[in-house]
Amino acid sequence: MKKLVLLLLFYSACETIVDIDIPKEDTRLVLNGFFNPDSILSVALYESLHVLDDSEFKVVEDATVSIFDGDGVKLADLVDEGSGRYSSAFHPEVGTQYRIEASKTGYQAIEASDIIPADSARVPTIQIVKTGEEGSGEYEITFTIQDYAKEDFYEVQLMQRTYYEFDGMAYDLVINHYMESEDVVFDDFTSSGIALLFNDVLFNSGESKITVTAFLNSYISCDENPECISEEYSLILRKVSASYFNYNRTLRLQQDLEGNPFAEPVSVYNNVTNGFGIFAGFRNSAFPFHLPED
Amino acid sequence: MKKTLLLILGCLVSNTILAQSFTISGYVKDKSTGEVLIGANIYNAKKENGAASNSFGFFSYTTEADSVELIISYIGYSVERVTFLLKEDVELNIELVPGGVLEEIVVRAGEERVEEVTQMSRVTIPIQQIKSMPRLLGEVDVLKALQMIPGVQSGAEGSSGLYVRGGGPDQNLILLDGVPVYNASHLFGFVSVFNADAINNVDLVKGGFPARYGGRLSSVIDIALKEGNTEKFKGEGSIGLISSKLTVDGPISDKTTFLISGRRTYIDILARPLIKAESDGEETGGYYFYDLNTKINHRFSEKDRVYLSGYFGKDEAFAESRTSDSFSSRNNEYEDDFGLEWGNFTTALRWNHIYTPRLFGNVALTYSRYQFDISERSYTKETTGSVTKIDESKIRYFSGINDLAGKVDFEFIPSPEHHIRFGSSVIRHKFNPGVLAFKSNVESDTTLGEQRTRSAEFFTYAENDMQLLENLSLNVGAHFSGFAVEEEIYTSFEPRVSFNYTLPSNLAIKGSYTKMTQYIHLLTNSGIGLPTDLWVPSTPKIKPQVSNQFAVGLAKNLDVIEMTLEGYYKKMENLIEYEEGATYLSIEDSWEDKVTVGEGESYGAELFFQKKYGKWNGWLGYTLSWNFRKFDDVNFGRRYPYKYDRRHDANLVLVYTPRKGVEYSLGWVYGTGNAVSLPVSIYPGAYPDSRFQNGSVNYYDGRNGFRMRAYHRLDLSASWTKPKRWGERTWSVGLYNAYSRRNPFFVDIQTDYNFNDGTEEKKLVQYSLFPIIPSIMYSFKF
């Protein structure tokens, strides 16, 4: 429908390059970092650009980046690893509130806080049915989720880990597969991709069956590659914080609507005070499954 | 509250008891066609007071037994004078002769002067003036003419949407012969559904609403269809660039007249063979719209008239593809069909009865339906030898609203000092905000999003337009309405008051206060009025929209030019908007879960000079306005400018008729650029793995924080009419956007890549829609 209208409109549309005075905002620090209990803490620092600036994003080095707990006790200083990355051997814990601060001369200091959800995701059953034609790799995956009695946010992924040997060396390769779903728990713009976001508004504290269609056809499948030793499939159900959910949801939405002149623009969620970006926690739970035999 | 009620009641029942008074009543008509004249003025020169004809052409004037000298006037008609001795009730049907439009005769004694009318914020444009205005693609458009009035914004380029005093397009009560029309546009908003050849009168009320109006917050557009020629069978029509139309009307008997008026585009007929030829006969497609107005009017007696009118209109876009292929022994046939259609159907059955010369009544039964339908069919037939396999699926999305209503209205005119109106109405609404149906021969049928809602709306009102003192008139009334939906019942008491105080220099000071309640909402995320916009009811969760509007103004007749200056302040509550990213096709959720509720505020001043007749006629309007919205879930809860917040808006319409049969016209519009949201900064998006970037994020420092370039446009037209043996013909030529101004339709940030050096350049690009567009039209009358 919208395409039809756009076609009609663009048929006679013409372009003019115009000057609209877009004021130069102060360059701000951008902090991007998701944290979880299975990894060390690592964030990236950049600086923002004016919207009409053609240059590449610039990383920020030699900044001071520190992590604090909820009581304001400094836990560690993150080490500048170059290329704008800062990390610490520190492993965040579930259920703990963390605050991160970053500063550098010439920029306004920034800070952000978030938490890793205390509870892990619960998936008692997974059912896989092959639905597509031979060779299509199309499967319908239905999993049951047991929710907690509070507002919860989730992200689901389908992971394939393949172990193989090549020239006497062992490797493992991880792929997150594309999925799509018509299940009511997903929004239009979060219902396809390699990670699908949803919340528990429709089944809070209850149980829900969610179905996704996955395309597991892979060039690294053991059926096709003699170097392949074994492969594993897992449903990764990630419990994510509200900040994680809001950021990824709005980012996806903004990217989806890009170029649509009739849509109101979407502001991407930002929890970095005095700057831009995201600092948000999540925890993974893996639920292995086997593909059905042909 | 009690005091207010008592005051209103007192005003309504107070009546000047006239000693030995009689009533002159009847209809005012066009002598050549028998069409009633709405708003004609009946003035008694002896008493210096009078009456005006109502929307059925009826008037009632009561005065003491004495000699009376009535001057009956109407714009574009010669003045009629009637003198007689009034000693009993008199029935007087007056016929005015058309043709006075070119004469610069100032009928000071009989003219309804703008400074004497109590109601403010009301504009009437003579239909002939609308027909004389320049137009897009040669299509006469009533709503586009109204966009040239101060206080009315036009929305997107070319669109016929109306944004009145900061209101949205859903807040206009568009009445066609008293029936609401829900989607008043064809061709995705570029052409309105009203065929000017079938229209008798157009009134726009944008504030100071009398109590008889309700149900919308921002305006009432009251369009009356012609009734049909009572004298002889007549016709008129035109052949234009995109459509042709034909209207015929005439008497069926001496008591019955009819009118039928149709219009159709022929883009599809012209395009179909071209598309077929281009696709080797495999594909076809097209777009067309049509509309049909019909009316039949029967006079049972001098006191009883019945009108049956109907409007049928439809837009349809379609595409069909038929292909086939063969592989060895296998033959495949493919069929794909796409259809998109929307349209209105309205009908009204009305009965006028004159109970006494002072009491006029109208009973109406009306039905209005708007439906939008989009469908897609896919069919595959695979034949291998004697085995045939068929896959067929159909998907259909439709939405709509339909209303069935009953209404009674009475006008009681006991004396020239009081004009009392009262009445009631009941409406049954059926909403169908979106259903997706899927049918297939291989999968089970599915229906999603069935959210039919039934509701009942009612209102009752009473108002008195009274002359309290020689220089002070007052229109006071109350409108009480209610809405029952699911288990919720909303009610609203809406006081309405307007006054007019005339200073000795004939400068009138006017003021008004109105509260309005609207029980239905329009969900839109297109911003340009697409047929996909959904009409939805107030529900227990979504409250009715409410507005409070104050207006003050000055009015004066400057010789032959009417001048009004008005200032207004309007506050709107319970407005709804889609949440960010929600769309009409997300039918899995209830629409109530996809909207956010907020408020609006608008204020401004409007200056209007209008000359309705003479060799030179037209108007000049200027609006200075501010218009804001505030939603908790939009723009971080901060107030922001409405998209059509237009600080300055100016309109000039000039029609010049140097001699009979020749007419030149000019229209010029200027408006501050529309508000637009643009990002000010960008930064990298985040991935869970901090080594990677997830594209780029645009940072918006608030919604609608920037302005596009100013909009201005000059339209010109000329027409030459020549009498023929069979009637008359007119050639009209026009230029839309005569100096081909590249007006902004939208702006976007575009990146140009230079493949030679690998660099890229970002720039703001403005897209424009219509350059200069010439038009030509041939019209005829017989």
Side-chain angles (χ1 to χ4, degrees), chain B residues 684-701:
Chain B
Y687 255 136
D689 185 333
S690 64
R691 287 173 298 175
F692 304 111
Q693 292 175 14
N694 187 1
S696 165
V697 179
N698 290 325
Y699 169 68
Y700 296 87
D701 188 21

Side-chain angles (χ1 to χ4, degrees), chain A residues 1-2 4-5 8-10 12-23 25 28 30 32-34 42-44 46-54 57 85 184 186-189 238 244 247-249 251 253-255 257-259 261-270 276-278 282, chain B residues 188 190 317 338 340 372 374 525-526 528 530-532 580-581 583-584 586 588-589 636 643 677-688 690-701 703-704 706-709 742 745-747 749-750 760-771:
Chain A
M1 170 67 202
K2 209 162 267 173
L4 188 71
V5 179
L8 278 170
L9 299 180
F10 279 99
S12 60
C14 53
E15 299 174 21
T16 313
I17 296 164
V18 288
D19 290 320
I20 294 178
D21 186 28
I22 300 180
E25 290 260 312
R28 295 199 214 175
V30 179
N32 284 340
F34 296 108
S42 177
V43 298
Y46 304 89
E47 62 174 38
S48 64
L49 295 176
H50 184 262
V51 67
L52 294 179
D53 193 329
D54 303 322
F57 288 119
R85 290 186 70 218
V184 294
F186 302 106
D187 286 323
D188 283 355
F189 46 91
R238 183 173 278 182
Y244 182 107
Y247 176 83
N248 283 294
R249 184 178 180 278
L251 177 61
L253 186 52
Q254 186 182 87
Q255 290 171 343
L257 294 175
E258 185 133 23
F262 304 121
E264 288 294 348
V266 174
S267 294
V268 173
Y269 178 83
N270 173 29
F276 298 123
I278 184 69
F282 68 91
Chain B
F188 304 97
F190 292 125
F338 168 79
L340 165 69
F372 164 75
I374 187 166
N525 63 352
S526 62
I528 53 169
L530 292 181
T532 50
E580 288 180 336
T583 64
Y584 75 101
S586 314
E588 62 273 14
D589 300 329
F636 312 105
K643 190 171 185 175
S677 304
L678 291 173
V680 291
S681 300
I682 49 171
Y683 58 92
Y687 255 136
S690 64
R691 287 173 298 175
F692 304 111
Q693 292 175 14
N694 187 1
S696 165
V697 179
N698 290 325
Y699 169 68
Y700 296 87
D701 188 21
R703 184 176 278 198
N704 293 342
F706 293 92
R707 294 281 167 175
M708 293 200 273
R709 296 164 82 195
R742 289 189 169 188
F745 187 58
F746 64 86
V747 291
I749 291 171
Q750 195 171 291
E760 57 182 50
E761 188 192 357
K762 282 185 178 175
K763 54 196 179 186
L764 263 177
V765 177
Q766 168 194 290
Y767 290 83
S768 306
L769 204 54
F770 296 129

Side-chain angles (χ1 to χ4, degrees), chain B residues 343-646:
Chain B
N344 294 281
F345 166 56
T346 72
T347 184
L349 176 64
R350 299 183 295 171
W351 167 49
N352 286 175
H353 181 67
I354 302 169
Y355 295 89
T356 73
R358 299 177 195 184
L359 180 63
F360 177 88
N362 180 57
V363 179
L365 283 173
T366 65
Y367 177 76
S368 177
R369 186 189 72 198
Y370 169 68
Q371 184 153 321
F372 164 75
D373 201 327
I374 187 166
S375 61
E376 202 163 351
R377 172 180 166 267
S378 176
Y379 172 89
T380 309
K381 184 178 172 187
E382 189 183 300
T383 310
T384 312
S386 59
V387 180
T388 301
K389 185 183 160 199
I390 291 176
D391 280 350
E392 185 175 16
S393 63
K394 290 178 193 169
I395 189 160
R396 181 178 172 222
Y397 174 87
F398 58 96
S399 67
I401 177 171
N402 69 56
D403 286 0
L404 182 62
K407 192 169 182 246
V408 288
D409 298 283
F410 295 97
E411 289 184 47
F412 179 52
I413 310 147
S415 72
E417 286 76 33
H418 293 273
H419 192 142
I420 297 164
R421 294 177 175 91
F422 54 97
S424 290
S425 176
V426 178
I427 308 165
R428 188 222 56 188
H429 297 286
K430 270 166 77 175
F431 297 87
N432 202 351
V435 177
L436 185 70
F438 178 76
K439 275 179 178 289
S440 165
N441 66 332
V442 290
E443 292 178 49
S444 57
D445 293 356
T446 312
T447 300
L448 294 169
E450 186 100 37
Q451 298 170 35
R452 284 176 202 271
T453 309
R454 285 167 193 263
S455 60
E457 183 177 348
F458 70 90
F459 67 79
T460 186
Y461 70 89
E463 65 172 85
N464 188 358
D465 198 349
M466 52 194 164
Q467 192 72 38
L468 278 188
L469 303 167
E470 193 183 340
N471 54 1
L472 177 66
S473 62
L474 194 64
N475 183 309
V476 63
H479 184 101
F480 179 74
S481 63
F483 189 75
V485 59
E486 297 172 24
E487 68 277 13
E488 187 74 52
I489 296 179
Y490 291 106
T491 56
S492 173
F493 176 75
E494 300 161 22
R496 313 280 176 84
V497 60
S498 304
F499 74 87
N500 181 349
Y501 183 75
T502 313
L503 298 169
S505 55
N506 278 338
L507 175 70
I509 299 172
K510 298 189 181 196
S512 67
Y513 162 72
T514 53
K515 179 186 173 189
M516 303 291 277
T517 304
Q518 179 169 333
Y519 297 103
I520 60 175
H521 308 258
L522 185 69
L523 266 175
T524 174
N525 63 352
S526 62
I528 53 169
L530 292 181
T532 50
D533 297 347
L534 300 180
W535 285 98
V536 293
S538 295
T539 66
K541 197 170 167 184
I542 305 293
K543 292 190 169 61
Q545 304 179 60
V546 177
S547 74
N548 284 280
Q549 186 181 165
F550 300 87
V552 289
L554 300 172
K556 187 172 171 59
N557 249 31
L558 306 166
D559 199 10
V560 292
I561 296 173
E562 290 179 357
M563 184 281 291
T564 58
L565 172 65
E566 295 188 3
Y568 65 90
Y569 175 83
K570 183 159 77 175
K571 181 94 181 164
M572 296 167 280
E573 289 164 37
N574 302 328
L575 307 181
I576 63 170
E577 189 157 293
Y578 270 123
E579 284 178 347
E580 288 180 336
T583 64
Y584 75 101
L585 270 175
S586 314
I587 40 70
E588 62 273 14
D589 300 329
S590 161
W591 63 267
E592 290 172 86
D593 298 324
K594 295 189 288 191
V595 300
T596 173
V597 179
E599 58 187 43
E601 184 183 27
S602 68
Y603 46 89
E606 299 160 1
L607 181 63
F608 190 43
F609 295 94
Q610 186 181 21
K611 185 169 182 284
K612 291 181 178 171
Y613 53 89
K615 279 188 175 180
W616 285 96
N617 64 73
W619 67 81
L620 172 67
Y622 169 73
T623 309
L624 173 71
S625 63
W626 288 262
N627 188 1
F628 301 99
R629 293 288 187 273
K630 186 174 181 293
F631 290 83
D632 286 344
D633 298 329
V634 176
N635 199 37
F636 312 105
R638 298 196 305 247
R639 189 174 86 150
Y640 61 91
Y642 190 46
K643 190 171 185 175
Y644 301 112
D645 170 43
R646 215 164 277 168

